[in-house]
Amino acid sequence: MAVSIKSAREIELMRESGRILAMVHEELGKAIRPGITTLEIDILAERLIRSYDCIPNFLHYNGFPASVCVSINEEVIHGIPNKKRVLKDGDIVSLDAGLIYKGYHSDAARTHLVGDVAPEVQKLVEETRNCFFAGIKMAKAGNHLFDISNAIDEYISQFGYGIVREFVGHGIGARLHEDPEIPNFTQARRGVKLQPGMTLAIEPMINLGRADIEILDDNWTVVAADGLPSAHYENTVLITDGEPEILTMLK
Ligand code: MG
């Protein structure tokens, strides 16, 4: 498995790609409210991405028909925007978006609360975000890749949630999905040694109930098999000599 090490120039392009995506997510977050359709979210996302002269990398990726994945409640990832899907009070909605800036990809996901959400579901969303940060504490040169996986698992398991295993994080750069794969659960091996210049999309997908998932008849939408809510949190991260740099968050 070859993990690409980005040059100084590539890192600059990835920083800009990530910064733009962070701004896109900020704007999308402001649009989330009961009554908006998932198609309206997609239209806004594509317009925002193109307004920065960037390309939505999810659009047509393996045939995906939209610029952003919009996954509601028990939908884990890869929800297809639709004019008939309307957000309602009490929902959670995961937005996974990415873009290409001058040939370099960024990828990030956020789960938003829609109106008044049950406390146990709010906690799921919060802890899913927190387990990402527990994971990237280990994302330093000299550590090994699966130190990240183990830290995510160790943090999130205390709550009894289900960690989705069929979908994992990934390297990212001149392509959306590069080596290595980054599981969100404990690994027996150590994985590759982390080096400055690696860029990784780390993305825990956490179910309130059991870990099992199913894929709907649209061949895209991944849902929690038990029908309970699921949350997703992702950033594109640069490995450095010191602390990791989160490329898809505004400073
Ligand atoms: Mg990703």
Side-chain angles (χ1 to χ4, degrees):
M1 182 171 60
V3 180
S4 68
I5 305 295
K6 275 70 180 182
S7 68
R9 174 186 162 274
E10 288 179 304
I11 288 169
E12 273 317 304
L13 294 174
M14 290 205 60
R15 276 198 184 108
E16 187 59 10
S17 183
R19 192 182 70 85
I20 295 169
L21 182 56
M23 291 191 290
V24 168
H25 264 296
E26 284 254 317
E27 289 304 311
L28 292 177
K30 289 180 198 162
I32 297 301
R33 56 176 168 75
I36 194 170
T37 69
T38 61
L39 183 64
E40 287 172 313
I41 296 167
D42 181 60
I43 291 168
L44 176 61
E46 181 169 3
R47 185 157 56 75
L48 285 165
I49 290 168
R50 295 200 191 277
S51 76
Y52 294 103
D53 285 326
C54 295
I55 300 165
N57 49 8
F58 292 4
L59 185 62
H60 309 314
Y61 187 85
N62 292 333
F64 189 76
S67 297
V68 58
C69 300
V70 186
S71 308
I72 303 173
N73 296 337
E74 77 284 1
E75 297 171 355
V76 179
I77 48 169
H78 301 167
I80 301 175
N82 185 308
K83 67 177 187 231
K84 292 182 180 156
R85 292 298 300 281
V86 181
L87 297 187
K88 57 182 200 311
D89 189 55
D91 285 343
I92 58 171
V93 62
S94 300
L95 306 183
D96 191 354
L99 57 81
I100 310 170
Y101 170 78
K102 295 187 179 174
Y104 284 84
H105 291 254
S106 50
D107 187 1
R110 306 279 184 262
T111 299
H112 297 282
L113 309 178
V114 185
D116 201 12
V117 172
E120 61 165 1
V121 181
Q122 284 188 38
K123 182 172 170 64
L124 169 74
V125 172
E126 247 166 63
E127 299 300 359
T128 299
R129 185 175 187 279
N130 290 342
C131 79
F132 165 88
F133 287 97
I136 67 156
K137 276 191 191 152
M138 307 306 289
K140 297 179 181 182
N143 281 353
H144 287 78
L145 181 69
F146 296 150
D147 293 334
I148 301 173
S149 306
N150 298 349
I152 291 172
D153 189 328
E154 189 177 331
Y155 180 85
I156 206 70
S157 291
Q158 64 181 305
F159 305 106
Y161 298 145
I163 303 173
V164 172
R165 302 173 82 92
E166 290 84 350
F167 296 90
V168 297
H170 50 94
I172 181 168
R175 288 176 299 130
L176 174 57
H177 292 114
E178 299 186 350
D179 283 338
E181 291 196 343
I182 312 167
N184 297 301
F185 51 94
T186 298
Q187 301 294 302
R189 295 168 299 126
R190 296 194 299 176
V192 294
K193 197 173 208 180
L194 297 174
Q195 293 178 48
M198 288 180 174
T199 43
L200 308 174
I202 298 169
E203 51 175 322
M205 288 151 260
I206 307 296
N207 294 349
L208 184 64
R210 293 174 52 82
D212 307 67
I213 52 106
E214 287 171 2
I215 297 180
L216 298 186
D217 288 341
D218 62 19
N219 285 324
W220 278 106
T221 314
V222 176
V223 299
D226 62 11
L228 294 175
S230 181
H232 186 197
Y233 188 80
E234 174 182 29
N235 283 300
T236 299
V237 171
L238 169 69
I239 304 297
T240 74
D241 278 319
E243 294 304 310
E245 195 178 318
I246 304 176
L247 302 182
T248 46
M249 272 178 76
L250 298 175
K251 305 285 181 296

